[in-house]
Amino acid sequence: MKDPSDKRTLGDHVLSPESLMMSYGYRPEWSEGAVKPPIFQTSTFAFRTAEEGKAFFEIAYGLRERRNDETLGLIYSRLNNPSLEILEDRLTLWDDAEAAASFESGMASIATTAFTFLRPGDVLAFSEPIYGGTEYLFHVILPEFGIETVPFPAVEGRAGLEAALSEGDRRERLAMIYVETPANPTNRLVDIGMCAEVARECTTEDRRVLVAVDNTFLGPLWQHPLKHGADLVLYSLTKFVGGHSDLIAGAVLGSDDLITRLKATRTFFGSMAGPWTGWLLLRSLETLKLRMTSQMKNARYVADYLLDHPKVDRVYYLGHLGENDPDFETYRRQCLSPGSMISFEVRGGEAEAFRLLNHLQLTKLAVSLGGTESLAEHPASMTHSDVPPADQARMGITPALVRLSVGVENPQDLIADLSQALEHV
Ligand SMILES: *Cc1c(COP(=O)(O)O)cnc(C)c1O
């Protein structure tokens, strides 16, 4: 359904993604003049002729090459659906990607990526700390399929990655470097360009090493991994892109060639998003820049307030990185803003952190992030509770650590809420 006449320019003037979120990939004449795309709540699509149905299947199943003027026709909603295709077309704009695939969750996008591009005997190197669900998939499930998964510490840069790959013939078997940056919950950065360099060095004629980046925390507004040499960008759309904490979804972006392979797996895993989710995400995308900009500004006020508070020992916030910080150069090169995730240590331990969390009134005590409402949680006992205590300590996940996802509320109200809650510490 992708419309080749879809324009991203006015004459020589290149339009910004935020201007295209209300129109790109959809034309009102397709749907009775409706300005907004309807929800295509259908499982199957009628072919005009048997010949057309045959041609659609030939393309979908790769039975022959697609002609230049041919697009993949609509067949059945496990393969494609306009509510997802419009979403995917719009998602490509922020990261300037050739193609995108949407999924029913962030985890579905990560798992489908793993099972598309990894095979028994392959090595997957991944940065730590990493999202808990990803950690379980990599540590427990993938090894059961003969995939060797090798963590490397986000804080150690190239030396950490090289050390992890130096054992045995790991370099020769390396198939993917998977990174999450900034790392959750301490906002440590992984240099994507460095990972791309290592991947290129390990690539041979018959083995292309891919770099995949989970861009949930800063993307798609504030970090564009493809520009730094990544091959695949992954999202939990549940977070900033959905942005209202009312849906679960995921996406992967990259070259046409890689996304076509990924969509083939998606068809047989059945891990695509549904039309209703796609439609909700189209609404969300229209305000994505507004929301993420407001959240970013609010976070600066909140982080500065926390930094000066006598009951706060330490604040992890990208906007506070000093020139002497080892992450500063990577930040300058790779990130367009500090985003809106803050972690901080309350003076004391778990009891003090819990007292703070139990007294917040405006900010809600919940995991997840990126929504319009501010959320606070306790990584050591919640999102990262399955990380062994020694590893938690190594990653800076102390009992006193609280993670904040800053929403679009008035920043003075958020500060007033933190202020009264900190009085109970
Ligand atoms: C939430 C999250 C995921 C998983 O996404 P779901 O939509 O919950 O499946 C993956 N990576 C990161 C960084 C996340 O925050």
Side-chain angles (χ1 to χ4, degrees), residues 9 225 311 340 348 360:
T9 53
K311 288 181 183 168
S340 51
L360 286 169

PDB file of all heavy atoms in Angstrom, residues 9 225 311 340 348 360:
ATOM      1  N   THR A   9       9.086  16.444   0.516  1.00  0.00           N
ATOM      2  CA  THR A   9       9.648  17.763   0.226  1.00  0.00           C
ATOM      3  C   THR A   9       8.578  18.681  -0.355  1.00  0.00           C
ATOM      4  O   THR A   9       7.573  18.232  -0.900  1.00  0.00           O
ATOM      5  CB  THR A   9      10.777  17.651  -0.820  1.00  0.00           C
ATOM      6  OG1 THR A   9      10.267  16.942  -1.947  1.00  0.00           O
ATOM      7  CG2 THR A   9      11.985  16.934  -0.277  1.00  0.00           C
ATOM      8  N   PRO A 225      20.694   5.860  15.858  1.00  0.00           N
ATOM      9  CA  PRO A 225      21.789   4.886  15.763  1.00  0.00           C
ATOM     10  C   PRO A 225      22.215   4.549  14.332  1.00  0.00           C
ATOM     11  O   PRO A 225      23.389   4.268  14.105  1.00  0.00           O
ATOM     12  CB  PRO A 225      21.218   3.646  16.461  1.00  0.00           C
ATOM     13  CG  PRO A 225      20.216   4.193  17.424  1.00  0.00           C
ATOM     14  CD  PRO A 225      19.602   5.361  16.722  1.00  0.00           C
ATOM     15  N   LYS A 311      19.370  15.582  50.771  1.00  0.00           N
ATOM     16  CA  LYS A 311      19.065  14.166  51.018  1.00  0.00           C
ATOM     17  C   LYS A 311      19.288  13.298  49.772  1.00  0.00           C
ATOM     18  O   LYS A 311      18.928  12.126  49.741  1.00  0.00           O
ATOM     19  CB  LYS A 311      17.626  14.012  51.511  1.00  0.00           C
ATOM     20  CG  LYS A 311      17.456  14.524  52.939  1.00  0.00           C
ATOM     21  CD  LYS A 311      16.040  14.343  53.413  1.00  0.00           C
ATOM     22  CE  LYS A 311      15.875  14.941  54.810  1.00  0.00           C
ATOM     23  NZ  LYS A 311      14.443  15.042  55.175  1.00  0.00           N
ATOM     24  N   SER A 340      14.679  12.291  29.192  1.00  0.00           N
ATOM     25  CA  SER A 340      13.907  12.580  30.395  1.00  0.00           C
ATOM     26  C   SER A 340      13.921  11.444  31.413  1.00  0.00           C
ATOM     27  O   SER A 340      13.008  11.302  32.204  1.00  0.00           O
ATOM     28  CB  SER A 340      12.469  12.931  30.007  1.00  0.00           C
ATOM     29  OG  SER A 340      11.942  11.934  29.159  1.00  0.00           O
ATOM     30  N   GLY A 348      20.985   7.111  52.306  1.00  0.00           N
ATOM     31  CA  GLY A 348      20.481   5.979  53.081  1.00  0.00           C
ATOM     32  C   GLY A 348      20.462   4.739  52.224  1.00  0.00           C
ATOM     33  O   GLY A 348      21.367   4.523  51.411  1.00  0.00           O
ATOM     34  N   LEU A 360       5.249   9.870  47.421  1.00  0.00           N
ATOM     35  CA  LEU A 360       4.997  10.647  46.203  1.00  0.00           C
ATOM     36  C   LEU A 360       3.490  10.682  45.955  1.00  0.00           C
ATOM     37  O   LEU A 360       2.797   9.676  46.121  1.00  0.00           O
ATOM     38  CB  LEU A 360       5.720  10.009  45.008  1.00  0.00           C
ATOM     39  CG  LEU A 360       7.243  10.208  44.980  1.00  0.00           C
ATOM     40  CD1 LEU A 360       7.866   9.321  43.908  1.00  0.00           C
ATOM     41  CD2 LEU A 360       7.613  11.676  44.759  1.00  0.00           C
TER      42      LEU A 360
END
